[in-house]
Amino acid sequence: MPAVPPPPSKAPDAGNRNLRRSSWAEAAAAAGAAETVGEPPSSAAAPEAPSFRRSRPTVADTIAGSPMPDFISSPGLFVKEQKPRPMGGVRGALYTLTGGAVNLGPGARQREEEELEQRISRQLQGHYNTAILSLKGGIGKTSTTVGVGLTLAQYRGDAPCAIDANPDSGDLVERALGEGIYQQSAPRTISDLLENIESVDSLTALARYMHHAGRLHLIAGEQDPEVSDSLTAEEYLRIRQLISSYYTVALTDCGTGVTHNAMRGILQSADNLVIAAGYAVSGAKRARSTLHWLASHGYEDLARNAVVVITDKDAVSSRVDKDAIEDHLAGICRQLIAVPHDRGVADGDLVTLDALRPETRRAYKEIAAAIVDGYR
């Protein structure tokens, strides 16, 4: 009986193997092509995450989801507020003795002083001019101009300018510099500036005609009596236009009265007024007459917004009722400020802030703040 050959062993089907290999190669090639063109791999190939695992947020996720801190508008979130240092008095002494460990902050007087300084230093847009005038001489008009000008220069970031437009040989610069220094400086006056005004095209060129009391810049008045009264309204306006190109705040020391040649130009360009007065009954009457004249000659706004300054320049009679004079003037102006009697003002010589009494410096600060308040 012939031998039956054993059944052939089940060898892998070569055709199927080739087919599977071919399919695998094609799939790999397709995946590679997808990655090349930026397509995500098939989701079927990605293993599924176990359902019991939770993904934790990363540090980047936490930062991205938190609000951005505002370092500009809310600096107090990051820096503890510190009380200002008290100056003087019991609070200041306690601060000094404890090395700053005990800081009760500034008292009411210091806060008032700081509030005045902030009003004076207020940033301004444009250029402004304040005229200081009176109907009577010798009652503190020029000393007020110098004291207020020095105060503005001390607290403002921009230097102020003071113009001597007094037709009666004004002494504005002498009161700011001292007679001796002014005479030694080969003084140039407002007349010299007018004569060469066409060539003044820069602050450097203008400085040749200026005098300087610290940061207060001044234009001297004409000293020659024959030409001191020749300044016209048009000439003053030319000076004012030139000054406005370089100075934000200007003060104009006017002459006595309101009818001299330059006065029309001064009032036309003034943004506000300071009316100088005294505690004498005649001085109060003249101040009131000045305001009445202004209101009846087309300057009603200037009169209404004027600051009246009463300087106790000379020892007045004890029979004079100062309160009654103040009440008489207070109702016809925007603000009334009293400057106390002070030898540093009364002797008609050099005016410096360091030589004045604290009460006088305080009055000049109040006047300066009232002037800047009037610049709208």
Side-chain angles (χ1 to χ4, degrees), residues 161 193 206-212 217-219 243 247:
C161 175
L193 177 57
L206 178 59
R208 301 190 186 103
Y209 303 91
M210 307 288 284
H211 304 269
H212 301 85
H217 300 180
L218 305 107
I219 298 178
I243 294 301
Y247 294 90

Side-chain angles (χ1 to χ4, degrees), residues 317-332:
S317 171
S318 59
R319 293 185 296 110
V320 173
D321 190 341
K322 295 183 179 180
D323 293 336
I325 289 178
E326 292 180 7
D327 293 340
H328 178 72
L329 294 174
I332 58 175

Side-chain angles (χ1 to χ4, degrees), residues 16-367:
N16 291 339
R17 285 200 307 271
N18 292 336
L19 179 58
R20 286 196 298 270
R21 289 175 182 172
S22 175
S23 299
W24 181 86
E26 290 174 0
E35 291 179 0
T36 303
V37 298
E39 296 179 358
S42 174
S43 58
E48 296 183 358
S51 58
F52 59 86
R53 295 183 60 186
R54 294 182 179 179
S55 59
R56 295 183 178 179
T58 64
V59 175
D61 293 336
T62 303
I63 295 176
S66 301
M68 178 66 69
D70 191 343
F71 293 93
I72 298 176
S73 63
S74 302
L77 296 175
F78 311 98
V79 180
K80 292 183 179 179
E81 183 179 359
Q82 185 176 4
K83 294 180 181 179
R85 176 178 177 176
M87 306 298 293
V90 176
R91 293 169 180 257
L94 188 59
Y95 181 92
T96 302
L97 289 174
T98 61
V102 177
N103 184 359
L104 301 179
R109 183 59 180 263
Q110 182 178 338
R111 292 195 299 270
E112 291 174 1
E113 295 289 328
E114 292 173 351
E115 189 267 339
L116 283 174
E117 294 168 9
Q118 290 173 1
R119 288 164 59 194
I120 296 171
S121 62
R122 177 170 66 89
Q123 186 174 4
L124 299 170
Q125 301 296 327
H127 48 83
Y128 301 89
N129 179 32
T130 296
I132 296 93
L133 56 93
S134 69
L135 284 184
K136 182 181 183 298
I139 56 175
K141 175 177 57 63
T142 298
S143 60
T144 298
T145 305
V146 176
V148 172
L150 293 172
T151 302
L152 289 167
Q154 181 176 2
Y155 295 107
R156 288 197 58 79
D158 46 354
C161 175
I163 306 168
D164 190 344
N166 190 336
D168 300 318
S169 301
D171 61 348
L172 174 68
V173 177
E174 291 95 317
R175 300 295 302 277
L177 298 181
E179 183 73 28
I181 295 178
Y182 175 64
Q183 294 300 330
Q184 295 172 7
S185 63
R188 292 191 174 187
T189 67
I190 194 169
S191 299
D192 297 317
L193 177 57
L194 277 169
E195 185 178 350
N196 300 281
I197 196 169
E198 297 297 337
S199 64
V200 178
D201 56 1
S202 67
L203 185 58
T204 301
L206 178 59
R208 301 190 186 103
Y209 303 91
M210 307 288 284
H211 304 269
H212 301 85
R215 296 182 66 250
L216 174 61
H217 300 180
L218 305 107
I219 298 178
E222 182 55 59
Q223 300 300 301
D224 187 346
E226 295 184 2
V227 297
S228 62
D229 195 28
S230 63
L231 181 67
T232 66
E234 290 71 22
E235 288 173 334
Y236 173 82
L237 288 174
R238 294 182 70 190
I239 294 289
R240 176 70 192 110
Q241 183 177 8
L242 175 64
I243 294 301
S244 67
S245 300
Y246 304 104
Y247 294 90
T248 302
V249 176
L251 305 177
T252 299
D253 184 14
C254 307
T256 301
V258 290
T259 58
H260 59 80
N261 293 338
M263 205 63 203
R264 178 173 53 85
I266 293 173
L267 293 175
Q268 180 180 333
S269 65
D271 295 284
N272 55 22
L273 301 178
V274 171
I275 309 296
Y279 275 114
V281 175
S282 59
K285 287 182 177 179
R286 288 187 176 95
R288 189 179 183 90
S289 298
T290 302
L291 293 169
H292 178 73
W293 185 94
L294 291 168
S296 60
H297 285 77
Y299 304 105
E300 185 175 355
D301 287 342
L302 287 177
R304 184 187 304 109
N305 294 312
V307 177
V308 172
V309 175
I310 302 181
T311 301
D312 191 0
K313 190 172 182 180
D314 301 309
V316 298
S317 171
S318 59
R319 293 185 296 110
V320 173
D321 190 341
K322 295 183 179 180
D323 293 336
I325 289 178
E326 292 180 7
D327 293 340
H328 178 72
L329 294 174
I332 58 175
C333 61
R334 174 164 59 91
Q335 190 170 349
L336 185 142
I337 301 170
V339 179
H341 180 72
D342 194 322
R343 289 291 302 174
V345 173
D347 58 11
D349 196 4
L350 174 68
V351 175
T352 59
L353 296 181
D354 291 341
L356 300 178
R357 296 169 54 195
E359 295 81 4
T360 307
R361 292 197 299 270
R362 166 64 180 252
Y364 286 149
K365 288 175 73 171
E366 291 178 355
I367 299 169

